[in-house]
Amino acid sequence: MAYYQNKEVKFMEKKKVVIGLSGGVDSSVAAYVLKEQGYEVIGLFMKNWHDTTGLLESDCPWLEDRFDAMSVAKKLDIPFHFVDLSEQYRARVVDYMFSEYEKGRTPNPDVLCNREIKFDVFLDKAFELGADYVATGHYCRKETIMKDGQEYHRLLAGSDTNKDQSYFLCQLSQQQLSKALFPVGDIVKPEVRRIANELNLITAHKKDSQGICFVGKVDLPVFLQQKLTSKKGKVFLIDNDSDLYKRDWQQAIDNPTDEVLEELSKPFMFHPKYGKKVGEHGGAHFYTIGQRKGLNIGGFPEPLFIIGTNIDYNQIYVGMGKQTPGLYRQVLKVDKDELHWIRPDEKLKVGESRRLQIRIRYRQPLQEGIIHRREDGMYVVFDQPQRGIAPGQFAAWYVEDELIGSGVIS
């Protein structure tokens, strides 16, 4: 039964690992793998959210998750601890979400949760328990190398390409990675389920969590109304053949000057004069670029998609059909203060350019493009137009299967 029974343990002295037992199958099997590798394993469950406002069907109740995590710890014969981090989670993740949506931006709370909670506050709690490392059930891998006499930790995509979660860790630092272990990173999901089933773990057939990290699936407008006020506004339809879309994207490839990159990286500047009113909404800050559901506007040959918002005037702009040009851009910008390099030795200097692979959301296939480092930040020029680029999202760039840096789209 032991998945790692023939694998050599590469240390003489038993190391202590605190694993974040979430009550899901991935962290459950990760704890088992660590035990098989010879570590002293401690389970630690985090309570990060308990407010049910906006939750759909009471999804992801923390009490049930805690019970499942306790059951797994008992089954694996490892100590179990509980910590309440809900105050820190609200301050560092949820309040950030509210602030970003209020500005008309699209945040990714899962990325912040990993940077601010799982590998920061949780890390401190793990050290209080005497941990040498912390572990999670993320589908990604870590490799440590020596380069020019310096030790570097590489963040690699998970072996299961369908479950690779490296994108969610795109804001981690070398210090955080130095203490991180990802025990299921080289196992595919069906094998994780099989191991859990053979061990008769309570989480073996439990559905994967969805929605906001530690919160669950939410009715976003209802959830955001805890702090953001509803305000009726107008929805305008922009014609797909509008002059707004007449941008020469090829310039960014053939002639990537500072001026060209800056101009082409700007979002489309929509205005009511370019379209017609087709409905009303309850608050522009409740919506994001690329969204289709929630508008409740019918009567058109094809579905309407949000292509832009104006928070100052509380306006929403939509385009018709999946191929509406308002959804597609080929250039984006990351301001210099928002640049983050997991591998500082791979950092580009001002004036340098490099061909890499990039993604702007989880599960998006890696896209080919060139990054250009400039004085005011970094520009990403994709080989092909990208759908649904939104301010506030994280762009992450890779060298083959290694994630080397990321930044917030401006």
Side-chain angles (χ1 to χ4, degrees):
M1 181 186 294
Y3 181 81
Y4 274 87
Q5 60 185 356
N6 296 320
K7 294 211 173 183
E8 181 181 356
V9 177
K10 297 182 179 179
F11 47 81
M12 299 295 293
E13 181 182 338
K14 182 173 283 193
K15 298 288 187 179
K16 184 179 293 186
V17 181
V18 170
I19 182 163
L21 276 183
S22 65
V25 66
D26 299 325
S27 63
S28 301
V29 172
Y32 165 73
V33 170
L34 289 168
K35 280 202 68 175
E36 291 298 301
Q37 290 177 329
Y39 290 101
E40 179 184 346
V41 184
I42 298 173
L44 181 57
F45 178 86
M46 292 176 276
K47 173 188 173 183
N48 285 348
W49 194 252
H50 51 80
D51 191 340
T52 60
T53 303
L55 287 187
L56 299 177
E57 300 176 358
S58 298
D59 188 62
C60 200
W62 74 269
L63 281 172
E64 179 182 334
D65 288 338
R66 180 186 180 184
F67 173 81
D68 291 344
M70 288 179 64
S71 297
V72 168
K74 184 176 181 180
K75 185 76 175 180
L76 298 179
D77 192 26
I78 63 175
F80 179 82
H81 294 267
F82 167 84
V83 62
D84 187 344
L85 302 180
S86 54
E87 183 178 338
Q88 296 94 324
Y89 184 81
R90 177 179 285 278
R92 296 198 190 188
V93 179
V94 177
D95 285 352
Y96 162 84
M97 271 186 62
F98 288 133
S99 175
E100 287 290 275
Y101 274 109
E102 189 174 27
K103 298 171 185 173
R105 292 159 60 88
T106 305
N108 190 314
D110 287 0
V111 173
L112 265 292
C113 178
N114 285 309
R115 187 185 77 187
E116 301 292 331
I117 304 298
K118 292 180 182 176
F119 294 94
D120 191 295
V121 182
F122 179 82
L123 193 64
D124 291 339
K125 296 297 180 181
F127 288 155
E128 291 177 10
L129 295 173
D132 296 294
Y133 300 99
V134 296
T136 66
H138 283 103
Y139 285 86
C140 60
R141 296 170 293 139
K142 186 185 84 170
E143 180 183 272
T144 301
I145 62 171
M146 295 297 296
K147 179 180 177 182
D148 300 326
Q150 177 73 38
E151 183 178 77
Y152 292 102
H153 305 285
R154 305 175 70 211
L155 177 60
L156 306 172
S159 295
D160 189 335
T161 56
N162 292 321
K163 292 293 294 182
D164 169 39
Q165 294 174 310
S166 58
Y167 174 81
F168 289 135
L169 304 177
C170 68
Q171 287 279 294
L172 295 192
S173 66
Q174 282 289 300
Q175 176 63 25
Q176 289 171 312
L177 276 175
S178 71
K179 299 298 182 182
L181 297 177
F182 307 111
V184 298
D186 60 353
I187 313 177
V188 296
K189 184 74 177 198
E191 180 70 1
V192 167
R193 292 282 187 192
R194 186 193 67 77
I195 294 170
N197 190 56
E198 285 194 9
L199 293 170
N200 197 28
L201 298 179
I202 193 172
T203 57
H205 304 290
K206 190 174 182 179
K207 292 182 179 180
D208 291 342
S209 60
Q210 294 181 320
I212 301 171
C213 180
F214 290 113
V215 177
K217 295 184 71 175
V218 300
D219 181 327
L220 191 59
V222 174
F223 182 79
L224 293 176
Q225 281 176 34
Q226 294 176 74
K227 286 199 172 183
L228 305 184
T229 305
S230 295
K231 184 180 179 182
K232 186 175 291 187
K234 298 176 182 178
V235 179
F236 297 92
L237 174 64
I238 306 297
D239 291 337
N240 287 346
D241 59 357
S242 171
D243 290 341
L244 280 169
Y245 303 132
K246 292 182 179 179
R247 289 187 177 181
D248 185 2
W249 300 113
Q250 192 64 32
Q251 283 190 77
I253 297 174
D254 298 337
N255 184 36
T257 64
D258 292 2
E259 293 75 15
V260 167
L261 293 174
E262 176 64 24
E263 182 62 30
L264 292 180
S265 69
K266 295 177 180 177
F268 294 114
M269 301 300 292
F270 297 109
H271 191 278
K273 68 181 180 181
Y274 294 112
K276 61 180 179 180
K277 180 187 172 184
V278 293
E280 294 184 335
H281 62 82
H285 42 245
F286 297 140
Y287 299 87
T288 186
I289 293 173
Q291 184 175 336
R292 178 174 68 87
K293 296 182 178 179
L295 284 172
N296 299 318
I297 300 174
F300 293 91
E302 296 182 77
L304 301 182
F305 291 84
I306 295 174
I307 56 177
T309 62
N310 187 317
I311 299 301
D312 293 336
Y313 292 93
N314 197 32
Q315 297 166 344
I316 286 179
Y317 299 93
V318 297
M320 188 167 61
K322 291 182 179 180
Q323 299 305 315
T324 176
L327 282 179
Y328 291 85
R329 289 165 52 201
Q330 202 162 336
V331 184
L332 65 81
K333 180 183 179 182
V334 176
D335 291 333
K336 63 180 180 180
D337 294 338
E338 297 285 4
L339 283 172
H340 173 72
W341 295 89
I342 294 178
R343 284 283 301 277
D345 57 311
E346 299 282 356
K347 183 178 179 180
L348 265 64
K349 298 177 182 177
V350 174
E352 291 184 334
S353 300
R354 186 176 181 182
R355 173 166 286 277
L356 293 172
Q357 293 180 302
I358 308 103
R359 63 166 49 108
I360 59 172
R361 64 179 66 89
Y362 174 53
R363 288 192 178 278
Q364 182 194 30
L366 288 172
Q367 304 293 304
E368 296 289 336
I370 298 176
I371 61 174
H372 300 276
R373 182 70 170 92
R374 296 294 190 261
E375 191 68 45
D376 60 345
M378 196 171 76
Y379 295 87
V380 178
V381 179
F382 294 97
D383 290 358
Q384 300 295 328
Q386 299 297 304
R387 187 179 191 277
I389 295 176
Q393 291 177 316
F394 286 90
W397 38 93
Y398 293 70
V399 177
E400 296 180 347
D401 62 348
E402 181 183 4
L403 199 167
I404 64 170
S406 67
V408 181
I409 300 172
S410 63

